[in-house]
Amino acid sequence: MTKAREIRLKSRPVGMPKAENFEVAEVTLKDPGPGEVLVRNSWMSVDPYMRGRMYDRPSYVPPFQLGEVLQGGAVGTVVKSNDERFKEGDLVESMLGWREAFVASGAPLTKLPSTAVPPQAYLGVLGMPGMTAYGGFNRYGQPKEGETVFVSGAAGAVGSIVCQVAKLRGCTVVASAGSDEKLAWLKSLGVDAGVNYKKGDLLENVRAAAPKGIDIYFDNVGGDHLEVALEVARPFARFVECGMISIYNETEPKPGPRNMSYIVGKRINMKGFIVIDLIDMREQFISEMSGWVKDGKIKWEETVENGIANAPKAFLNLFTGANTGKMLVKLD
Ligand code: NDP
């Protein structure tokens, strides 16, 4: 019998989530049955999209249910296995995070290779955020050498990879983030110009950073950033609509950008996507990104909270910008 703690949704947040929307519970796990494995998680992913699943409304993934354990990406180690594809000690990735351990069918688990890369990288640069950045930028951004790319939320898990992939594709990169420290880190990665969106006028600052306009906008933020990107877009610009974190906690729908008519006049191609749409690019992503990581051409940061009880805090911190790079929880 194994005991494990898990994080449950206690109440649906209204506006900005609060610690009291979550609860920690302890469960006793049964022994794995035929085809099942017992896994002890070591790292948990903390992701903004989880906010969407806290609303009770139809979406591309079902909403979290009150009183039930939250689900998120995790890596862990197989402790017992009744599935011949896994043996004790194997490192696995799953969507069965937000719990310290679980017993489940081996079917949805992915065995991770034992490489020099730390396991939690499979929740970041070599996992879902890396795939979102690589696939979304390449497929929908269609970058060409010499073009100018504007990235919002640029110091986060997805944004920081987009910035570096854009540099590797020969683009000029203008990054927006919420602190000078984040921008200094992005500059050290090769970003050409940075805009602290919390200081001064966003439009003026982006115009100054990209005086000839932008060819690609990779949007993690929406709202005022999207309006500014429409303003400075060059004809035939591509807008990769990845996320809109600035409006995830709004209690009423927000009016869209006031300058949407530029989409017509500038013939802008605006494409929303979800990472699962890019599944056909997975092998290409793993191969090219692993090579870049091995060669030191792509770097990443992690912001780590320790212990499952701090997972809600880590989640809330996404909305105040406390993380640089990938937000993770390290489990005991
Ligand atoms: P991040 O690591 O970027 O963390 C969130 C960051 O967003 C914070 O660090 C903060 O940085 C910034 N932020 C928070 N609130 C605001 C605000 N009001 N205005 C501007 N910036 C804000 O998260 P991810 O990299 O995991 O995700 C980035 C985006 O990509 C999100 O919108 C997410 O939903 C989306 N996403 C979409 C996927 C898809 O399949 N389409 C898959 C994965 C992620 P700062 O200090 O700069 O404010």
Side-chain angles (χ1 to χ4, degrees), residues 48 132 156-158 177-178 182 197 220 242-243 246 248 273-275 318 323:
T132 304
V158 174
K182 290 185 180 189
Y197 73 88
N220 288 313
C242 175
S246 71
Y248 291 173
F273 76 100
I274 299 296
V275 63
L318 288 172
N323 64 307

Side-chain angles (χ1 to χ4, degrees), residues 150-304:
F150 177 39
V151 184
S152 59
V158 174
S160 59
I161 305 299
V162 174
C163 289
Q164 295 177 82
V165 174
K167 287 309 300 175
L168 288 164
R169 297 276 183 250
C171 300
T172 297
V173 178
V174 175
S176 163
S179 78
D180 292 346
E181 293 73 25
K182 290 185 180 189
L183 293 173
W185 173 60
L186 291 169
K187 291 257 181 78
S188 78
L189 300 179
V191 161
D192 300 275
V195 170
N196 181 341
Y197 73 88
K198 292 183 178 165
K199 282 185 179 170
D201 183 87
L202 185 62
L203 175 57
E204 265 176 37
N205 292 340
V206 173
R207 255 206 190 114
K212 293 185 184 153
I214 62 168
D215 302 288
I216 300 173
Y217 174 46
F218 194 100
D219 193 7
N220 288 313
V221 168
D224 54 351
H225 279 79
L226 180 54
E227 186 165 307
V228 162
L230 285 164
E231 204 65 36
V232 300
R234 287 157 59 88
F236 303 102
R238 284 83 68 203
F239 278 41
V240 186
E241 292 303 321
C242 175
M244 298 200 178
I245 196 165
S246 71
I247 56 173
Y248 291 173
N249 295 314
E250 294 292 334
T251 49
E252 294 291 327
K254 264 198 127 180
R258 293 164 297 179
N259 52 359
M260 292 287 276
S261 63
Y262 279 134
I263 295 174
V264 180
K266 297 187 185 190
R267 285 86 105 204
I268 291 169
N269 192 351
M270 193 180 266
K271 181 77 176 95
F273 76 100
I274 299 296
V275 63
I276 46 177
D277 306 339
L278 303 164
I279 194 76
D280 60 301
M281 293 180 80
R282 193 173 152 75
E283 270 180 38
Q284 179 194 335
F285 157 68
I286 289 290
S287 153
E288 194 161 26
M289 190 62 79
S290 306
W292 284 335
V293 165
K294 190 161 153 274
D295 297 343
K297 290 182 177 164
I298 293 270
K299 300 196 166 61
W300 72 92
E301 271 291 325
E302 294 163 356
T303 300
V304 178

Side-chain angles (χ1 to χ4, degrees), residues 30-76:
K30 60 182 175 60
D31 276 340
E36 289 187 328
V37 291
L38 166 63
V39 173
R40 187 155 281 285
N41 285 329
S42 45
W43 292 90
M44 264 169 45
S45 183
V46 184
D47 294 280
Y49 78 85
M50 295 176 75
R51 178 67 182 93
R53 296 190 71 183
M54 292 172 194
Y55 291 102
D56 189 15
R57 66 182 179 205
S59 184
Y60 61 95
V61 269
F64 293 131
Q65 295 303 312
L66 290 181
E68 286 191 8
V69 59
L70 297 176
Q71 280 169 22
V75 292

